[in-house]
Amino acid sequence: MKILTATLLLSASVLSATAFAEPEVIYTQNSTPQTATHRLLEAQRSGQNASTEEQYLSGKVNTQIYERYVKSFSRPIPERFSSDTFTEE
């Protein structure tokens, strides 16, 4: 029974230590920490993982996008919004 209790306590302490572990941080020459999130955002900014294939929209979709864009100018931009929602009610 003592061995089981000791094993459970040891397991619990190891699991709790990993649950609160610090995120992986890599220091560069300028000593700015680079977390995994930082590296992913930098990859997105640089475009290093961007597709090399040209991405096209169909003519119908392009027309709908342009019509929506033009329609957005049909009303003036209000000085203030009168409600918390941005939908017409």
Side-chain angles (χ1 to χ4, degrees):
M1 184 68 174
K2 288 183 179 182
I3 294 174
L4 179 62
T5 304
T7 305
L8 288 173
L9 287 173
L10 181 62
S11 299
S13 66
V14 170
L15 290 175
S16 66
T18 58
F20 296 106
E22 292 291 320
E24 175 194 359
V25 177
I26 297 173
Y27 292 96
T28 59
Q29 288 180 346
N30 64 2
S31 73
T32 303
Q34 293 188 359
T35 61
T37 303
H38 177 81
R39 290 190 304 273
L40 289 170
L41 290 172
E42 183 56 38
Q44 183 178 19
R45 274 191 297 272
S46 71
Q48 71 187 35
N49 295 333
S51 173
T52 58
E53 299 295 318
E54 193 70 34
Q55 299 184 15
Y56 296 98
L57 297 174
S58 72
K60 182 179 178 181
V61 173
N62 256 342
T63 302
Q64 290 172 340
I65 291 171
Y66 182 74
E67 287 172 357
R68 183 174 179 181
Y69 167 73
V70 171
K71 186 179 176 186
S72 71
F73 294 103
S74 66
R75 298 185 197 156
I77 298 174
E79 186 75 29
R80 296 174 195 222
F81 291 103
S82 59
S83 67
D84 293 337
T85 63
F86 293 98
T87 59
E88 294 182 40
E89 295 175 3

